[in-house]
Amino acid sequence: MKKRTYYLICMGVILVIALIMSVKGGLFSAGERAEIFRILSDSFFVPGVLFVGAGALSWGASKGTYDMLSYGCGRMARHFVPGMDKEKYSSFYRYKQQRDEGGRGWKPHVLLSGLIALLIAGVFMALYFL
């Protein structure tokens, strides 16, 4: 899939969330201009924060931040689930080496789409205060 498609999907999801929040917030029943801009600002702020947070977590995971947590949870689960290999990795060092060999990617389109949504929310907030 092309990179542009990922951005379009993320922005589509953001727009759907913003539309649902706008309708729930009473966009079509708001009378004043300032009230409309407040509702639109709130509607774009929430998905923007969600997407920026997900993109930041993705970036952190690509740097190996959660390797120890993943290794420990997997090792603990192997003790309780019958039939799983008890010693899949001989050590954490081996586990980390294998993860690094596979390559680590992150989702910059999620982070950038969230930043765009926050920028849109900021524009609506500025219009609210004018």
Side-chain angles (χ1 to χ4, degrees):
M1 223 186 280
K2 293 183 180 181
K3 288 183 180 182
R4 180 179 54 204
T5 307
Y6 292 128
Y7 286 100
L8 291 174
I9 290 171
C10 286
M11 289 309 293
V13 171
I14 288 172
L15 288 174
V16 166
I17 293 171
L19 178 67
I20 291 170
M21 289 191 64
S22 299
V23 170
K24 288 282 205 180
L27 178 69
F28 298 112
S29 63
E32 297 179 17
R33 193 184 114 197
E35 184 69 15
I36 292 171
F37 288 138
R38 183 194 63 80
I39 293 169
L40 288 173
S41 175
D42 292 346
S43 297
F44 278 97
F45 182 75
V46 172
V49 168
L50 290 174
F51 273 68
V52 166
L57 285 173
S58 171
W59 177 78
S62 73
K63 301 298 180 198
T65 304
Y66 308 111
D67 282 348
M68 186 162 293
L69 182 64
S70 174
Y71 176 75
C73 289
R75 193 161 169 99
M76 185 181 299
R78 284 185 187 82
H79 288 290
F80 297 109
V81 178
M84 286 186 78
D85 183 20
K86 296 285 185 202
E87 293 296 325
K88 189 171 183 179
Y89 304 102
S90 59
S91 66
F92 175 68
Y93 178 73
R94 286 277 197 218
Y95 173 77
K96 190 141 172 86
Q97 273 185 331
Q98 187 170 353
R99 295 280 306 226
D100 289 338
E101 287 172 5
R104 297 174 186 257
W106 69 292
K107 313 281 189 262
H109 54 274
V110 175
L111 181 68
L112 292 175
S113 297
L115 289 173
I116 291 170
L118 286 177
L119 179 69
I120 293 169
V123 168
F124 283 129
M125 186 176 65
L127 290 172
Y128 170 73
F129 284 115
L130 286 178

